[in-house]
Amino acid sequence: QVQLVESGGGLVQPGGSLRLSCVASGRSLSDYAMGWFRQAPGKDREFVCGISRSSESTLYENFAKGRFTISRDNAKNTVYLQMNSLKPEDTAVFYCAAASDFWLHEIAPREADYDYWGQGIQVTVSS
């Protein structure tokens, strides 16, 4: 079993940047495909992006393409989400998640694929 803890959230002005981190403990992060999700007030949780165990494959939801970058450092048991050009509509609680039983270069594209979740961290984009 793996435990996930997010950090790096907060308040940022429109157009600004944030980098979220998700540190895993209990198991090696290299065993899991990883993903970031978000949930805005009054909305369902949605997929933001995912990365394979090897880092060779990544997948982004349309709203994240060109602005967000997912990466991982398996040696540090950490996955990152770099967010640039942030917009007020990016305001949400962001979650990292780990998916078991995926091949080395495979993405986990669906929420149902993920077995373990962090507690979430607030990102607020406002002037």
Side-chain angles (χ1 to χ4, degrees):
Q1 197 166 4
V2 65
Q3 293 78 44
L4 304 171
V5 178
E6 301 97 339
S7 63
L11 174 65
V12 63
Q13 291 188 341
S17 298
L18 279 177
R19 188 175 83 153
L20 304 183
S21 299
C22 174
V23 178
S25 61
R27 287 279 300 271
S28 173
L29 199 66
S30 61
D31 292 338
Y32 301 93
M34 298 297 295
W36 286 96
F37 291 76
R38 71 182 188 183
Q39 186 168 22
K43 295 188 177 181
D44 293 335
R45 188 159 58 187
E46 62 179 349
F47 178 78
V48 177
C49 54
I51 188 167
S52 63
R53 291 166 55 199
S54 66
S55 296
E56 260 197 39
S57 303
T58 56
L59 177 68
Y60 295 89
E61 195 54 72
N62 284 339
F63 63 79
K65 290 179 181 177
R67 298 191 301 129
F68 294 1
T69 303
I70 187 171
S71 61
R72 66 192 294 163
D73 185 338
N74 287 340
K76 294 183 178 179
N77 253 19
T78 303
V79 63
Y80 304 97
L81 180 62
Q82 177 67 43
M83 302 186 291
N84 299 327
S85 302
L86 283 162
K87 306 174 182 179
E89 51 265 42
D90 294 318
T91 294
V93 177
F94 281 72
Y95 300 87
C96 72
S100 308
D101 301 324
F102 278 78
W103 294 105
L104 196 58
H105 307 307
E106 194 176 11
I107 299 287
R110 304 172 305 154
E111 184 169 344
D113 294 327
Y114 290 84
D115 306 293
Y116 304 103
W117 294 81
Q119 80 285 355
I121 192 160
Q122 179 69 44
V123 170
T124 302
V125 184
S126 174
S127 55

